[in-house]
Amino acid sequence: MHTTLRRRTSLGLALALATSLFLAGPADARGFNDEYVFAATRGVNHMDVNPALKVPLFPLTVAVDLVFLPFALIAGAVS
């Protein structure tokens, strides 16, 4: 019973992914929006403050950006 449910779930997810990729069109036509990738680190880099205040923020923002990197890549591909 669990095997059948897993197969149906896998088939449904594969079908949903294939349908969404078909409706979205080719990746070359859409391009990729990189404004979401490492956005927090880029924001700290563009802050108008003393560089000594930026230094302790960089490790924190890089860690946050790495945690959210998969979501940023998806958002960049969709938008």
Side-chain angles (χ1 to χ4, degrees):
M1 180 160 161
H2 292 290
T3 306
T4 306
L5 182 61
R6 285 183 187 164
R7 286 182 184 166
R8 286 184 183 175
T9 304
S10 298
L11 181 62
L13 288 173
L15 183 62
L17 179 63
T19 303
S20 65
L21 289 175
F22 175 74
L23 293 175
D28 295 339
R30 291 186 316 239
F32 182 78
N33 186 358
D34 67 344
E35 70 182 24
Y36 299 107
V37 179
F38 287 97
T41 305
R42 193 177 306 120
V44 169
N45 193 29
H46 293 304
M47 286 174 62
D48 190 26
V49 295
N50 188 348
L53 296 175
K54 293 181 187 181
V55 172
L57 293 176
F58 274 116
L60 176 66
T61 58
V62 169
V64 168
D65 282 333
L66 285 175
V67 168
F68 290 110
L69 183 62
F71 303 108
L73 292 176
I74 292 169
V78 173
S79 63

